[in-house]
Amino acid sequence: MKTVKDTLLDRRSIRRYERQPISKEQLNLIYQAIRNTPTSYNGQQFCVIDISDQQVKEQIYDLTGQKQIKTCSHFMLFCIDYHKIAVAAKLKGEEMPPFPSTADGLIVGVVDASLAMMSALTVAESLGLGTCPIGYARTAAPEELSRLMRLPQGVFVICGLALGVPREQPDMKPKQQESLIIHHEHYCDENIAEGVTTYDKEITDYTASRSGNVKIHDWTGNILSYYREAMNYHILDALRSQGFDIIK
């Protein structure tokens, strides 16, 4: 098993996997890490759908176009889940407050599901497995994915995670310098312009020289392009269809 340092600092997204399955022992450790995720109020406002059936993975691939979904050993969907507490409230004869339809309720669920995914990713990486978070699982076709996964009201996909034995070891992608990420005592805006300019050059140099598919771009232009594309998503409608009708 890798050290914490190697697990977190050498992590990279893996998009090509061997056909070799994940062992039961490895999968059990991943499950236990997910179960032990810290959550708001210990409410555990999340659930995970683990998909290993090839036909189902290919159906999700058809919705998203992400090849690693159909080639990985397991594809996990991390979801907000307020259905569990709604069932529990009904059993107790208690009224379920409309907390899931508040901005804070939505954030609580997103944070819980995201922490659970990081728990799974960290353990998987420590075992020598490859991982790739796939946010596009949420945005590509949320209503269709909800139907395919038979999600009840109060459950919504936040992110997917591909897991498997890695077939590649891609170049490490440069990350922003510490001063852009870590602020001390208060937010410091003084060096942001200089920092992002430097980082743009780093990303341009990286994309021009990395192995595999070379598509030269800087960080700013690439991210803004993603934001423009994301303006066409209809996530609020998809959330409402799953019972998250934000009221305040």
Side-chain angles (χ1 to χ4, degrees), residues 175-227:
K175 300 297 185 181
Q176 293 176 359
Q177 62 197 56
E178 187 176 305
S179 63
L180 287 175
I181 303 292
I182 310 296
H183 300 260
H184 297 278
E185 315 310 336
H186 59 82
Y187 193 98
C188 182
D189 194 40
E190 293 176 7
N191 300 315
I192 298 295
E194 179 183 354
V196 295
T197 300
T198 299
Y199 187 59
D200 266 344
K201 185 178 186 308
E202 286 184 51
I203 291 294
T204 300
D205 292 343
Y206 163 76
T207 56
S209 61
R210 65 180 170 180
S211 59
N213 182 31
V214 176
K215 184 180 179 183
I216 302 174
H217 58 75
D218 64 8
W219 174 73
T220 303
N222 191 50
I223 298 304
L224 293 178
S225 176
Y226 165 74
Y227 291 166

Side-chain angles (χ1 to χ4, degrees), residues 135-136 138-140 142 221-237:
Y136 201 53
R138 173 188 68 256
T139 56
N222 191 50
I223 298 304
L224 293 178
S225 176
Y226 165 74
Y227 291 166
R228 293 185 189 102
E229 177 186 345
M231 294 304 294
N232 296 315
Y233 300 156
H234 300 285
I235 301 301
L236 187 57
D237 291 339

Side-chain angles (χ1 to χ4, degrees), residues 54-71 75 145 148:
Q54 189 61 31
Q55 183 178 357
V56 179
K57 288 191 294 177
E58 291 187 8
Q59 288 177 302
I60 300 175
Y61 163 73
D62 289 340
L63 294 175
T64 63
Q66 301 290 303
K67 290 183 180 179
Q68 58 269 44
I69 293 175
K70 65 177 179 179
T71 60
F75 183 61
L145 184 60
L148 180 63

Side-chain angles (χ1 to χ4, degrees), residues 11-14 17 22 30 34 48-51 57 68-69 72-78 113-125 130-138 157-164:
R11 189 213 63 81
R12 60 203 73 192
S13 291
I14 301 298
Y17 299 93
I22 296 174
I30 293 168
I34 290 171
V48 181
I49 301 175
D50 180 17
I51 302 154
K57 288 191 294 177
Q68 58 269 44
I69 293 175
C72 67
S73 177
H74 286 253
F75 183 61
M76 295 184 176
L77 290 170
F78 291 79
S114 300
L115 287 172
M117 186 181 74
M118 196 62 195
S119 295
L121 182 152
T122 302
V123 171
E125 292 279 344
T131 66
C132 184
I134 304 176
Y136 201 53
R138 173 188 68 256
V157 171
I158 296 303
C159 196
L161 182 67
L163 298 148

Side-chain angles (χ1 to χ4, degrees), residues 25-62:
E25 292 77 15
Q26 291 173 324
L27 200 58
N28 184 60
L29 279 173
I30 293 168
Y31 288 167
Q32 296 310 310
I34 290 171
R35 289 183 61 238
N36 199 41
T37 296
T39 61
S40 298
Y41 326 115
N42 191 36
Q44 300 162 76
Q45 289 93 184
F46 77 94
C47 66
V48 181
I49 301 175
D50 180 17
I51 302 154
S52 58
D53 184 284
Q54 189 61 31
Q55 183 178 357
V56 179
K57 288 191 294 177
E58 291 187 8
Q59 288 177 302
I60 300 175
Y61 163 73
D62 289 340

